[in-house]
Amino acid sequence: MSIEGKVALVTGASRGIGRATAYALGKMGAIVVGTATSESGAENISQGLAEEGYKGKGYVLNVTSQDSVDSVVKAITEEFGAPLIVINNAGITKDNLLMRMKEDEWDSVIDTNLKSVYRVSKATIRGMTKARWGRIVNISSVVATMGNMGQSNYAAAKAGLEGFTRAMAREVASRNITVNAVAPGFIATDMTHALPEEQHNMLLTQIPLARLGQPEEIANAVAFLASEGASYISGETLQVNGGMNMR
Amino acid sequence: MSTIEERVKKIVSEQLGVKDEEITNASSFVDDLGADSLDTVELVMALEEEFETEIPDEEAEKITTVQEAIDYVVSHQ
């Protein structure tokens, strides 16, 4: 059973890892629905997919609202069919040392990066159990296992996401649905571009491959876990980080 | 037009993958028809779709047999 013609939902697909993942799934023949928080972002996704020659379109989605998630999943199901491949990628950072971290910085990162995974997974799992086939890939981070200064909120959300991945994998395994995570290291995206140069250079010394990863290098791992080739892998977190977190 | 009883039994049959003749009104989903916890949740969701109703969790927990499902649907028409 290939993913050709299956509907794939990728949250946060207007740039970075999400966009690269949307294209990778499109290349494999999936109908790709990418989401963004703004109309212009959604239009860019539609346009980008069309330019690459892939099926699908962009939708506006606010992952911090269950109503938004429910209505978008309903709209996708009516237009294309139930999403059987879900990539929970949308995420934000609000870095601060714990001593200075405000409650809203904590809450918004947990809500956008972790609770969103609950919302989107819950809204889409019914379609997968009905189809007796499904793939969920949650985008974690190397920070979930290594920690990082100034990212107690982000690390907590990503570590939580990995636990969620294993629990959900057990719950739905009997329906031939796999749930996995990919934990990127430092990837050349807008998110890491925001890092100060000093921290950037220091990071490179910790990466055996001595460079940042490209979004496509994460997308390849996600696409593999979404493919039929990964049918016996579930509850796993695949580390894609240039060797910086070997265990 | 099928009766409520027939529609409930059809859903039970499809959802749990058991033959019609194995299903009686007294059948317990878990004890007699081999449903696991995920099956029972899916069954309730299928009933909700078929009868266009929402079954609250506390009510859903009480639906453990075919007859209880029929009774619920009849009393919430």
Side-chain angles (χ1 to χ4, degrees), chain A residues 10-24 32 34 87 89 139 215 219:
Chain A
V10 183
T11 65
S14 62
R15 55 204 169 117
I17 292 169
R19 179 169 60 193
T21 298
Y23 289 177
V32 182
I87 315 301
N89 167 73
I139 305 304

Side-chain angles (χ1 to χ4, degrees), chain A residues 126 129-130 132 171 174-175, chain B residues 36 38-39 42 45-46 49:
Chain A
R126 180 74 181 133
T129 62
K130 273 186 172 174
R132 294 289 191 268
E171 283 190 20
S174 66
R175 299 301 186 267
Chain B
D36 63 18
L38 190 55
D39 287 321
E42 282 192 275
M45 293 178 100
E49 279 173 29

